[in-house]
Amino acid sequence: MATLHTRTSARLMMAPAVILLLAWMIVPLGMTLYFSLLRYNLLMPGMESWTGLDNYTYFLTDPAFSTALANTLLLVAGVLLITVAGGTALAVLLDQPFWGRGIVRLLVIAPFFVMPTVSALVWKNMLMHPVNGLFAWIARTVGLQPVDWLAEVPLFSIIVIVAWQWLPFATLILLTALQSLDEEQKEAAEMDGAGAGSRFIYIVLPHLARAITVVVLIQTIFLLSIFAEILVTTNGGPGVQTTTITYLVYLQALLQFDVGTASAGGIIAVILANIVAIFLIRLIGKNLDT
Amino acid sequence: MARAASTRRKAVFTIIGWVAGLAVFFPILWTFLTSFKTEGTAIATPPQFLFFEWTLENYATVQERSNYMRHMTNSIVMSVGSTLIGLLIAIPAAWAMAFAPTRRTKDILMWMLSTKMLPAVGVLVPIYLIFRDWGLLDSLAGLTGVLVMVNLPIIVWMLYTYFREIPGDILEAARMDGASLRNEIIYVLTPMAVPGIASTMLLSIILAWNEAFWTLNLTASEAAPLTAFIAAYSSPEGLFWAKLSAASTLAIAPILILGWFAQRQLVRGLTFGAVK
């Protein structure tokens, strides 16, 4: 009796969260899917008509699409490379005892709490500005020609900015994983004569493998949706050099008012993200059993 | 011998550690310093690091010119509001999943997580159109609602991982003593759950405060929180670096401090319990 009672109330308690999320996910996604099959432009109201898969053809064959796809992949890969390598290095560093370690850790994780628009603008103006920026000053001081970062190497610049924001996330997760490493194992290896290098490769890295996978998957999900950093620095330009899939859909929707094409692009973005999400969900699901 | 070596080792790591830490932190420090400069000093070559005439005028100007406090208030209302509503919805759900799990509980959790992986751009068009038709564009209520939905999966998940650590035996003991469900929640569960709820709340506020897809796309001037307000500095206004810095410092300071308090919970919340 008691269990039946509990089970009913448990269902009631879950209902609001489940129903709201269901509505949030199914309704708009269904609408996107529906719009993606229509010729539908906000500038021509009342002219909606069925067009089948034309929007997909149009979006996928748009020369901007292949560039945007390449940019998206480069952005994700570049940021992952920097954050995983840098995060591992910082985590190992923060795992060593030294004076003021607690404060250094606060300094290292700080960028994660800076809102995207602020970090993008601070980097764009105060650091990367070709004339008055700090990097330009450093370049001139050592006798080099200052680089106009966001004009000459725009995608690389955005990768650097985004990597700076996500470095703390990787560091913090890898540090947490590192701290759960059995000290005795490391000591035993040391006694057996393993050097710092081989201890890192044969004991620390395998132990971190799982955490690194989590970092890669979760960051990928978020990185596929990078938007604000591009909007306030380059607006996707010069040309389409920093246009990602997310940004391309935004352009179609809110600047060209082409609901149909934008919706097709949205669906494609969903499919791309799902490929990653499947792996992540499996990994987390496995963890849930233990 | 060994002690001397370990002290030297510690000294070396102290230097490397601080250099690395300051390098990562530098853009924030630089913003903070620049916010106290005049516009002239801000763009001076060579850059002025500490020995300039410190001034507070930028903070005054930012408020005067653009009603900064309005955007600050918007950010607070939205992040705190969406967090409280989210908790109200999520606490019962997480409680039920942690203490009365069924065969489907795991599937429901995984499904909630999957909604978080839906790229925002996939639902941008319909949400924008619904907001336009219902007059919710540039409104605090609309944006707060969106933020609730965006963060709800994370809130449920994080609460679930905390609730699961509460021993079920205690609840059963209370039940045996005749406590009703309501009393069970108020007197037994809540005191044990408060730390977990507090951490979840911090993380949710931080995420909502910094959310920069929906806030940029769904607001204009009225309901713009700080993320959207700062974005306006990407126009030629951005040439005023000292003012940009002052506006930025105010926008990140409160959340940076909250974040520093929440740093340990952050890992759990953002990895959905996959790394503890």
Side-chain angles (χ1 to χ4, degrees):
Chain A
M1 271 308 278
T3 44
L4 193 68
H5 176 76
T6 318
R7 209 168 279 171
T8 317
S9 42
R11 260 193 214 130
L12 278 177
M13 288 161 93
M14 274 194 279
V18 171
I19 292 168
L20 277 173
L21 275 175
L22 202 63
W24 166 253
M25 188 163 101
I26 301 295
V27 175
L29 201 58
M31 286 170 77
T32 307
L33 201 59
Y34 173 64
F35 290 155
S36 75
L37 302 172
L38 294 183
R39 182 189 302 279
Y40 183 3
N41 194 307
L42 290 181
L43 297 177
M44 296 178 281
M47 300 279 282
E48 295 90 66
S49 63
W50 186 260
T51 158
L53 293 175
D54 281 6
N55 288 322
Y56 290 89
T57 321
Y58 180 75
F59 191 82
L60 291 171
T61 53
D62 182 349
F65 171 76
S66 52
T67 316
L69 184 62
N71 287 341
T72 309
L73 297 178
L74 276 174
L75 177 68
V76 172
V79 173
L80 284 177
L81 200 69
I82 299 175
T83 51
V84 170
T88 310
L90 282 171
V92 170
L93 185 63
L94 287 171
D95 198 35
Q96 314 296 322
F98 65 81
W99 290 294
R101 183 166 65 156
I103 299 170
V104 169
R105 183 160 76 185
L106 291 183
L107 296 181
V108 168
I109 64 169
F112 190 74
F113 305 111
V114 177
M115 51 178 66
T117 43
V118 165
S119 49
L121 282 178
V122 164
W123 277 82
K124 175 192 178 186
N125 290 323
M126 287 150 60
L127 299 175
M128 290 176 164
H129 192 280
V131 180
N132 299 320
L134 204 69
F135 293 165
W137 173 70
I138 294 172
R140 277 197 303 270
T141 309
V142 298
L144 293 171
Q145 186 67 29
V147 177
D148 189 350
W149 295 92
L150 284 156
E152 289 169 35
V153 279
L155 191 61
F156 175 76
S157 306
I158 289 180
I159 290 175
V160 170
I161 298 173
V162 176
W164 178 73
Q165 290 179 281
W166 283 92
L167 188 61
F169 176 78
T171 307
L172 208 52
I173 285 175
L174 295 174
L175 180 62
T176 310
L178 215 51
Q179 282 166 346
S180 69
L181 178 60
D182 192 4
E183 274 303 314
E184 282 177 15
Q185 212 183 348
K186 265 198 290 187
E187 268 164 36
E190 200 172 352
M191 298 236 275
D192 289 345
S198 48
R199 275 197 317 256
F200 179 75
I201 292 171
Y202 294 109
I203 299 180
V204 177
L205 266 190
H207 179 76
L208 285 184
R210 187 191 153 75
I212 290 177
T213 318
V214 172
V215 168
V216 166
L217 291 171
I218 293 181
Q219 279 199 27
T220 306
I221 299 278
F222 283 97
L223 294 175
L224 284 174
S225 301
I226 288 292
F227 172 74
E229 291 83 345
I230 299 172
L231 179 76
V232 301
T233 53
T234 62
N235 262 311
V240 286
Q241 284 184 54
T242 53
T243 300
T244 59
I245 301 281
T246 298
Y247 203 78
L248 193 62
V249 175
Y250 157 80
L251 288 178
Q252 295 284 358
L254 297 190
L255 297 184
Q256 307 203 20
F257 304 104
D258 186 345
V259 171
T261 311
S263 298
I267 294 294
I268 289 165
V270 170
I271 293 170
L272 274 178
N274 272 4
I275 297 173
V276 182
I278 288 169
F279 287 106
L280 180 57
I281 294 229
R282 261 197 213 151
L283 192 82
I284 293 173
K286 236 181 246 166
N287 195 52
L288 207 61
D289 294 328
T290 54
Chain B
M1 215 10 218
R3 180 163 298 171
S6 95
T7 308
R8 195 182 315 136
R9 186 185 143 90
K10 203 169 169 181
V12 170
F13 275 113
T14 305
I15 295 168
I16 304 176
W18 276 89
V19 168
L22 286 172
V24 172
F25 189 69
F26 184 78
I28 300 173
L29 181 68
W30 191 234
T31 309
F32 179 73
L33 291 176
T34 307
S35 73
F36 297 105
K37 296 174 184 173
T38 59
E39 292 297 349
T41 329
I43 56 167
T45 310
Q48 308 285 306
F49 285 92
L50 284 172
F51 305 105
F52 53 86
E53 215 163 300
W54 291 57
T55 169
L56 281 170
E57 67 176 25
N58 300 309
Y59 288 91
T61 323
V62 163
Q63 163 60 15
E64 263 167 39
R65 278 215 198 144
S66 51
N67 199 359
Y68 187 85
M69 287 323 284
R70 173 216 280 272
H71 304 293
M72 177 69 104
T73 316
N74 286 345
S75 272
I76 295 172
V77 169
M78 262 184 263
S79 54
V80 176
S82 69
T83 298
L84 292 181
I85 298 171
L87 281 175
L88 215 61
I89 302 167
I91 289 175
W95 187 89
M97 289 194 264
F99 295 116
T102 61
R103 269 172 291 125
R104 273 178 312 180
T105 300
K106 194 184 147 187
D107 296 333
I108 295 178
L109 271 170
M110 296 324 287
W111 166 73
M112 284 188 171
L113 188 59
S114 72
T115 66
K116 184 65 207 163
M117 294 170 193
L118 184 70
V121 79
V123 293
L124 170 65
V125 173
I127 297 289
Y128 186 85
L129 293 179
I130 292 172
F131 268 53
R132 187 197 60 178
D133 295 345
W134 292 2
L136 287 171
L137 282 178
D138 204 16
S139 79
L140 270 179
L143 205 55
T144 307
V146 167
L147 290 178
V148 170
M149 302 315 299
V150 168
N151 286 332
L152 191 58
I154 291 188
I155 301 181
V156 172
W157 256 91
M158 206 168 158
L159 286 175
Y160 171 77
T161 62
Y162 279 111
F163 286 178
R164 222 166 48 137
E165 283 166 16
I166 297 173
D169 296 353
I170 290 185
L171 295 180
E172 232 147 75
R175 220 171 289 162
M176 299 269 265
D177 290 345
S180 64
L181 182 65
R182 214 181 63 128
N183 283 343
E184 192 181 302
I185 293 177
I186 296 176
Y187 296 109
V188 185
L189 187 70
T190 311
M192 282 192 292
V194 161
I197 295 176
S199 326
T200 310
M201 194 167 130
L202 280 183
L203 181 70
S204 166
I205 290 177
I206 293 169
L207 291 178
W209 185 277
N210 288 339
E211 204 287 328
F213 181 81
W214 295 110
T215 49
L216 287 173
N217 279 316
L218 298 178
T219 63
S221 55
E222 284 296 306
L226 290 168
T227 42
F229 167 70
I230 302 271
Y233 275 86
S234 61
S235 60
E237 181 97 14
L239 297 173
F240 298 106
W241 294 1
K243 285 177 201 67
L244 166 68
S245 297
S248 300
T249 302
L250 286 178
I252 61 180
I255 228 61
L256 184 57
I257 292 163
L258 272 192
W260 277 340
F261 280 111
Q263 55 159 322
R264 286 187 195 280
Q265 283 70 43
L266 208 74
V267 175
R268 189 199 286 243
L270 289 174
T271 60
F272 307 102
V275 173
K276 271 185 205 161

